Amino acid sequence: MKNKFYITTPIYYVNDKPHVGHAYTTVLADVLARWHKLCGEDVFFSAGTDEHGAKIETAAMAAGVSPQKFVDEKAADFKNAWQVLDISYDNFIRTTDAGHEKAVSNVLEFLHKKGLIYQDVYKGLYCKGCEQYKSEDDLIDGKCPDHQIEPELMEEMSYFLKLSKFGDEIAGKIESGELKIEPAEKKNEILKFLEKGLNDISISRANVKWGILLPFPTQGGSVSGGDKKYTVYVWIDAFLNYLTGLGWQGKIPLNPSLQKGGAGNAINFFPPDIQLMSKDILRVHATIWPALLLALEMPLPEKIFVHGFFTIDGQKMSKSLGNVIWPEQLVEKFGVDGARYLLMSSLAYGHDGDISWDKLAEKYNADLANGLGNLINRTMTLAQKVVFKHTGEKNKGISERIKKLYEEIKPKEILEEIWKEINWANKYIEEKRLWELVKNNEAEAKKVLEELFTTIYDVAENLKPFMPETAEKILKILDSAEIKKGEILFPRV
Ligand code: MSP
């Protein structure tokens, strides 16, 4: 039986179009999904959008359209962007999908029956940007450090989930590596946070209309004109996408025999093997999400992987600063694979990264136009001068070193390994003065070309997950030993 591999991205808020930050996580998920497919695994890659809650309600109001119309438009923007970036997701889950809403409703009913939900008064500082209550410790100068806004004091009757029951168990599982959090620094951060134990969290909103209604009889709510209705807290709603994205409908308990994975029903892919995200949403993913799963008696994800954050020209990306880079712009300027390459090489493991149009263009010209593009062009032009056909082994297979880097989720470092080969090959052409050999020593020229072809086959094979179109193009060129006049893989910008 094939190994199953389930990978998720966060479902992004649809208050705006996707930007390079969202694109980074999504392209990384795509690279890993393609890699695991190439390794012969049975892969499911789930992407989607987070469409309920106060943030979306406000954005729709500002745009002057109904929330439903607003989220439909924005969800389409995300789908388009992912299509433009050649993202091979297996399912795109929207939290406004009827099946998802039904599952959320079932889950809340189950948790209520199980006695894990109770009513109480809630008072706290709420950041609309995060859709989270904040403690004083979380704030810098009284403001949410992620959104630069002062959270509002909110007091409401509320339903609570007994998260406090699960804190120790979660800490134990993270400590033992049953639930992996990488990089290690992030794991330690979460373990430190869990030392104080977990507080119960409010899972209902009386003043947010745009959401899924609490399914059990309630008291004191206000949503639909004071008729005692509450909507479900958007993070509870959102987390369940990792189940509903597989077509799960909230029938509980999940049949334990289905939990091991395998072919057939997509829910067999659960739990996720890798959940990608950045540091902004790690804490909720390492507390509320596993607590929900424990409450539902379901297995926890294998691994949560946290990548760094982008800044642009040293500043936070923001619409008001006007410095946002949109994925469509990247593709327009650098091509799909150029955009994918530039994204994947901009964040080093465990670090944030700064990008700018100048730096991106410079890197594109150096690595793609001059590096890879030039290598293919020169090799093929010279090969055509001696009517060369490659006969040797096509490629050496993927190196152990690169396999290990995939295990560790180090895309930038993998690309650096591949570019070592490309740079070696370009130098080799220089050293051997291949353009002279093809004129006066055909036998020696063919030996050099043989080595170059082997290296380029290898490069193309290695590039498949990152630059699928380019890899295919290169393989075609090599196999036909021909490059059309004027065919330029990466024109300089
Ligand atoms: N809707 C929630 C997630 C729910 S998942 C159950 C959310 N959405 S979000 O639109 O704010 O997306 C946050 C994620 O987008 C980050 O964790 C990261 O994956 C990606 N990024 C957003 N901005 C980013 C940068 N500036 N840099 C890198 N990644 C960033 O939170």
Side-chain angles (χ1 to χ4, degrees):
M1 204 169 78
K2 278 188 182 179
N3 251 340
K4 69 99 187 165
F5 180 76
Y6 177 30
I7 185 160
T8 67
T9 63
I11 49 168
Y12 306 111
Y13 288 127
V14 288
N15 57 319
D16 206 349
K17 306 185 290 184
H19 57 55
V20 277
H22 308 117
Y24 180 88
T25 318
T26 308
V27 172
L28 177 56
D30 188 60
V31 168
L32 296 174
R34 286 175 189 267
W35 164 247
H36 283 265
K37 242 175 243 170
L38 286 171
C39 292
E41 287 169 44
D42 206 1
V43 172
F44 199 99
F45 167 14
S46 184
T49 37
D50 194 352
E51 305 188 359
H52 290 129
K55 195 208 276 270
I56 313 295
E57 206 171 48
T58 310
M61 206 129 60
V65 292
S66 73
Q68 189 60 57
K69 181 152 188 271
F70 184 76
V71 298
D72 285 347
E73 278 171 19
K74 293 290 181 236
D77 288 342
F78 275 85
K79 283 189 178 173
N80 282 339
W82 299 161
Q83 196 188 350
V84 168
L85 280 168
D86 211 355
I87 303 297
S88 61
Y89 57 71
D90 293 288
N91 190 33
F92 190 95
I93 179 79
R94 299 179 54 188
T95 54
T96 53
D97 290 342
H100 173 86
E101 292 188 347
K102 181 75 191 123
V104 172
S105 188
N106 287 352
V107 163
L108 280 143
E109 212 167 326
F110 172 85
L111 296 172
H112 188 246
K113 270 200 199 120
K114 223 179 152 185
L116 288 169
I117 291 176
Y118 63 92
Q119 196 180 23
D120 204 351
V121 177
Y122 198 90
K123 202 173 159 182
L125 293 167
Y126 195 77
C127 169
K128 242 190 206 174
C130 301
E131 293 280 17
Q132 284 175 49
Y133 279 103
K134 296 274 150 182
S135 73
E136 294 287 349
D137 289 350
D138 293 329
L139 307 180
I140 296 174
D141 299 330
K143 287 184 181 163
C144 163
D146 287 344
H147 295 96
Q148 301 303 322
I149 47 177
E150 277 180 29
E152 294 162 40
L153 187 66
M154 297 224 303
E155 185 172 346
E156 56 179 329
M157 204 43 147
S158 185
Y159 284 84
F160 285 78
L161 179 67
K162 291 186 183 166
L163 221 60
S164 52
K165 265 183 75 143
F166 300 105
D168 290 346
E169 192 177 349
I170 294 169
K173 287 180 190 281
I174 293 173
E175 179 90 60
S176 74
E178 194 183 323
L179 165 55
K180 296 180 191 66
I181 297 178
E182 294 177 4
E185 184 197 315
K186 296 290 168 202
K187 168 180 173 175
N188 296 334
E189 224 175 88
I190 290 295
L191 283 173
K192 189 125 198 263
F193 177 76
L194 282 167
E195 271 171 18
K196 291 175 277 171
L198 284 182
N199 293 326
D200 293 346
I201 55 156
S202 158
I203 53 123
S204 66
R205 295 290 178 268
N207 46 16
V208 178
K209 274 207 180 90
W210 182 240
I212 300 169
L213 290 178
L214 276 190
F216 44 82
T218 54
Q219 289 179 342
S222 65
V223 166
S224 317
D227 64 348
K228 302 179 181 166
K229 294 256 170 66
Y230 295 83
T231 55
V232 177
Y233 174 42
V234 64
W235 270 102
I236 301 289
D237 172 355
F239 279 128
L240 294 170
N241 95 85
Y242 298 135
L243 283 154
T244 58
L246 297 171
W248 185 73
Q249 290 165 0
K251 297 200 189 94
I252 296 163
L254 190 63
N255 181 345
S257 70
L258 291 180
Q259 292 175 11
K260 297 201 189 75
N265 194 339
I267 190 62
N268 295 351
F269 281 95
F270 202 82
D273 292 272
I274 299 179
Q275 301 209 272
L276 295 178
M277 66 200 68
S278 193
K279 55 189 175 180
D280 53 338
I281 55 174
L282 168 63
R283 194 191 283 177
V284 277
H285 273 85
T287 53
I288 304 178
W289 171 226
L292 262 178
L293 288 172
L294 292 175
L296 296 174
E297 293 156 49
M298 284 190 200
L300 303 193
E302 256 321 288
K303 187 188 287 184
I304 290 175
F305 181 80
V306 183
H307 63 72
F309 230 66
F310 280 117
T311 50
I312 304 211
D313 280 317
Q315 278 182 306
K316 210 182 135 84
M317 203 177 350
S318 93
K319 249 189 152 174
S320 50
L321 287 173
N323 64 353
V324 181
I325 295 181
W326 311 102
E328 289 87 349
Q329 292 179 304
L330 279 184
V331 173
E332 202 177 302
K333 185 147 187 197
F334 304 115
V336 193
D337 283 352
R340 291 170 62 105
Y341 175 79
L342 292 172
L343 284 171
M344 287 302 95
S345 46
S346 19
L347 291 179
Y349 186 81
H351 290 276
D352 293 339
D354 188 55
I355 54 174
S356 67
W357 280 109
D358 284 351
K359 276 193 273 186
L360 291 170
E362 205 178 295
K363 178 124 182 109
Y364 171 92
N365 282 334
D367 295 359
L368 295 175
N370 296 345
L372 178 58
N374 203 23
L375 172 64
I376 308 293
N377 198 38
R378 280 214 286 180
T379 306
M380 298 317 296
T381 312
L382 293 171
Q384 274 157 287
K385 297 225 154 95
V386 291
V387 197
F388 171 80
K389 189 100 187 150
H390 180 260
T391 53
E393 267 222 59
K394 279 206 171 164
N395 67 75
K396 296 169 262 172
I398 310 291
S399 69
E400 287 310 310
R401 165 130 186 88
I402 286 188
K403 285 183 191 160
K404 186 161 169 280
L405 291 172
Y406 272 110
E407 272 313 299
E408 296 168 346
I409 315 184
K410 293 184 170 160
K412 180 181 202 293
E413 294 75 1
I414 295 171
L415 289 172
E416 281 165 5
E417 281 298 302
I418 303 173
W419 254 258
K420 273 184 203 160
E421 287 202 67
I422 294 171
N423 296 337
W424 171 84
N426 269 327
K427 257 203 216 116
Y428 193 59
I429 296 175
E430 295 290 322
E431 268 168 34
K432 293 283 175 180
R433 307 183 73 79
L434 185 55
W435 59 95
E436 285 171 13
L437 289 181
V438 293
K439 282 189 212 140
N440 53 35
N441 189 344
E442 202 164 295
E444 181 63 17
K446 285 187 171 172
K447 258 184 18 207
V448 173
L449 281 164
E450 188 71 31
E451 277 189 79
L452 288 172
F453 266 59
T454 305
T455 303
I456 299 171
Y457 267 117
D458 213 37
V459 164
E461 208 53 43
N462 273 292
L463 281 179
K464 277 181 179 171
F466 289 89
M467 306 171 82
E469 254 180 34
T470 304
E472 285 314 317
K473 253 194 221 162
I474 295 176
L475 288 173
K476 231 173 157 178
I477 292 173
L478 290 176
D479 285 339
S480 64
E482 243 178 27
I483 187 160
K484 290 187 198 80
K485 268 225 149 61
E487 180 172 0
I488 293 175
L489 286 180
F490 300 102
R492 284 184 69 86
V493 299

